[in-house]
Amino acid sequence: MPNNKIGGHYSQAYDEELQQAVDRLVDMGGLVLQQLRDSMAAFTTADIALAKQVKKGDRQVNNFEVDIDEHCLDILARRQPAATDLRLVLSVLKSINDVERIGDQAKRIAKTLLKDEQGNRPSAEQLAELNGMSAKVQLMLQHALLAFQQIDADKALNVLREDKAIDDDYSRIMQQSLSAMMHDSQQISVSLQISNVAKALERVGDHSRNICQHAIFLSKGRN
């Protein structure tokens, strides 16, 4: 969907190039969001095939990043953008780095399952805790990408506030995992898995927050 905040140049082709940069970022974000969903589904159901698919799909995310990076550098070289246009290109370049890092965290979750050779599995209650945190993280990422696409600073600020609930979930899950390990040595393997997944989700929240900050910079010209 074209952004009515992008455009107004004498060259329609230039407007389209700027819009394509944003559209490709959003498409990359959609791919990474699906990777995150699949990685959590794989971990929750112990689906080895799906986990391997997520790990393999990381290459597609990296290719996306290279494609957008080259597109933005081409705009910088040929159009020599200034003011708002320059902020847009720089914000996209910064955001694709965060989106790629989110893809890395999805792969991290998948690898957590693949590395479990002993078949130790978290309880249904523990998995429910992680999936509750994951749902908040996925929603935050969706909202962050939408705020960037619409260049809406108010929406971005609202998304930033969602990060506290994720941090609270992370602290609670980590505390529970540490307590389980201290009281039962047989829980160490499972607790490490839970901690690894929770940390990955917490990092996704951080990168989503960064995308919001880039959106605010793009909209307001300040951090």
Side-chain angles (χ1 to χ4, degrees):
M1 181 177 64
N3 191 324
N4 57 18
K5 296 183 181 181
I6 299 174
H9 302 94
Y10 289 113
S11 170
Q12 183 178 353
Y14 185 21
D15 289 346
E16 291 174 354
E17 289 169 9
L18 293 173
Q19 184 64 55
Q20 284 172 8
V22 175
D23 290 345
R24 292 181 187 182
L25 167 64
V26 173
D27 288 344
M28 181 183 178
L31 173 62
V32 165
L33 179 60
Q34 188 59 52
Q35 287 281 87
L36 184 61
R37 288 170 177 158
D38 288 345
S39 67
M40 283 303 301
F43 183 80
T44 301
T45 62
D47 189 332
I48 300 297
L50 184 56
K52 289 180 178 178
Q53 181 180 318
V54 171
K55 184 179 176 183
K56 186 177 180 180
D58 186 60
R59 181 177 298 178
Q60 186 179 356
V61 175
N62 293 337
N63 290 340
F64 233 127
E65 181 186 25
V66 171
D67 176 68
I68 299 171
D69 186 71
E70 290 178 349
H71 179 75
C72 289
L73 293 178
D74 182 64
I75 292 175
L76 289 173
R78 291 189 301 104
R79 302 294 187 179
Q80 298 183 342
T84 303
D85 297 338
L86 180 59
R87 290 207 306 269
L88 186 147
V89 175
L90 295 178
S91 297
V92 169
L93 285 170
K94 290 178 179 179
S95 295
I96 60 172
N97 181 63
D98 282 296
V99 174
E100 190 274 335
R101 295 292 181 84
I102 292 172
D104 288 342
Q105 297 306 318
K107 182 174 69 173
R108 176 180 178 178
I109 294 170
K111 289 173 68 176
T112 299
L113 174 64
L114 295 174
K115 288 180 178 179
D116 177 33
E117 298 177 352
Q118 299 177 345
N120 296 319
R121 298 293 299 149
S123 67
E125 182 179 350
Q126 290 168 324
L127 289 172
E129 286 266 9
L130 286 174
N131 279 300
M133 181 181 179
S134 176
K136 294 175 187 176
V137 168
Q138 291 175 32
L139 196 60
M140 183 178 180
L141 175 55
Q142 283 181 289
H143 290 166
L145 291 168
L146 183 61
F148 192 99
Q149 183 182 32
Q150 297 179 350
I151 314 180
D152 191 323
D154 291 333
K155 281 186 179 179
L157 283 169
N158 288 333
V159 178
L160 288 174
R161 298 186 181 100
E162 297 176 23
D163 193 44
K164 185 180 185 305
I166 294 170
D167 288 341
D168 289 345
D169 283 352
Y170 174 66
S171 297
R172 185 181 66 256
I173 291 171
M174 293 298 286
Q175 188 173 19
Q176 291 171 349
S177 296
L178 180 61
S179 177
M181 286 190 287
M182 292 177 63
H183 288 88
D184 185 357
S185 61
Q186 293 183 346
Q187 287 293 312
I188 291 177
S189 176
V190 169
S191 294
L192 288 175
Q193 290 180 50
I194 294 171
S195 300
N196 201 34
V197 172
K199 180 61 180 176
L201 293 172
E202 189 266 343
R203 292 297 297 145
V204 173
D206 288 345
H207 289 299
S208 299
R209 184 180 63 199
N210 290 346
I211 294 170
C212 290
Q213 291 173 341
H214 302 326
I216 293 169
F217 170 72
L218 173 56
S219 176
K220 301 292 187 181
R222 64 178 187 271
N223 194 326

